[in-house]
Amino acid sequence: MTHQATTADDTLPGKPTAASRTTLSHIMTVNDTNLLGTVHGGVIMKLADDAAGAVAGRHSEGPAVTASMDEMAFLEPVRVGDLVHVKAQVNWTGRTSMEVGVRVMAERWNESTPATQVGSAYLVFAAIDENGKPRTVPPVVPETEQDRRRYQEAQIRRTHRLARRRAIKELRAQR
């Protein structure tokens, strides 16, 4: 792994979307449940962050930290005994940051029915060097039409994040 700080002048070769794509699987137990008897949303969020962090570290070839989580959607409840698969990939890269898309799938551990989507999220990671300072990440190279669509959608989400941050700063400055 590369742990060196890089400058804005460094040109890193692009990496295909598939190079860092990963799936994290975990069987849900009674320890994962909330007061309603279903799996706690925070457990699913941690799994999403873990998978996204692995992808970000792989893509950037070094440490990366969670900067934000957008649009965590819970589509279906997850139950004890479900085998949860968290699929993650880099959708977009900036100079030092990456958006990682996460899809959460669940299937009964003892049935042969197909997994169904139970959640999704978008996380932004910042690559850091050994001093905790931002470092340059390789550009992601979308490979498929779906990857290109995800890349474009990620740019829209980034624009919205930055506009929201700017509007909040301006509002606070007025007070």
Side-chain angles (χ1 to χ4, degrees):
M1 283 203 270
T2 303
H3 295 287
Q4 298 170 315
T6 55
T7 67
D9 295 341
D10 291 341
T11 303
L12 299 174
K15 293 175 83 174
T17 308
S20 58
R21 189 178 290 146
T22 194
T23 301
L24 171 72
S25 297
H26 188 79
I27 193 159
M28 298 292 107
T29 68
V30 69
N31 293 333
D32 301 316
T33 61
N34 59 26
L35 295 174
L36 299 175
T38 56
V39 173
H40 195 288
V43 170
I44 301 299
M45 291 172 75
K46 182 181 182 329
L47 292 173
D49 190 43
D50 288 347
V55 166
R58 277 181 171 179
H59 184 83
S60 68
E61 299 179 1
V65 295
T66 310
S68 70
M69 178 183 266
D70 287 354
E71 301 178 34
M72 182 72 210
F74 298 102
L75 307 173
E76 298 285 336
V78 178
R79 300 172 293 158
V80 169
D82 281 354
L83 181 57
V84 172
H85 308 285
V86 184
K87 300 172 182 285
Q89 75 171 46
V90 174
N91 289 336
W92 175 90
T93 53
R95 193 177 65 78
T96 62
S97 64
M98 303 156 273
E99 184 196 87
V100 179
V102 174
R103 175 175 289 184
V104 184
M105 310 291 289
E107 61 181 301
R108 294 305 294 166
W109 69 274
N110 59 349
E111 297 175 8
S112 59
T113 56
T116 58
Q117 186 174 357
V118 296
S120 65
Y122 300 101
L123 295 90
V124 176
F125 281 79
I128 58 169
D129 65 16
E130 62 277 356
N131 298 314
K133 301 294 183 199
R135 63 183 175 80
T136 305
V137 300
V140 68
V141 180
E143 300 172 281
T144 66
E145 197 54 46
Q146 190 174 41
D147 290 341
R148 285 185 279 283
R149 176 189 53 79
R150 288 178 177 150
Y151 186 92
Q152 291 171 328
E153 290 172 357
Q155 288 177 304
I156 294 167
R157 282 187 291 275
R158 180 176 186 272
T159 299
H160 288 195
R161 273 192 300 274
L162 294 175
R164 183 176 59 236
R165 185 178 302 147
R166 197 169 33 256
I168 290 170
K169 274 180 132 177
E170 289 171 5
L171 182 64
R172 290 181 177 173
Q174 294 172 7
R175 295 180 187 231

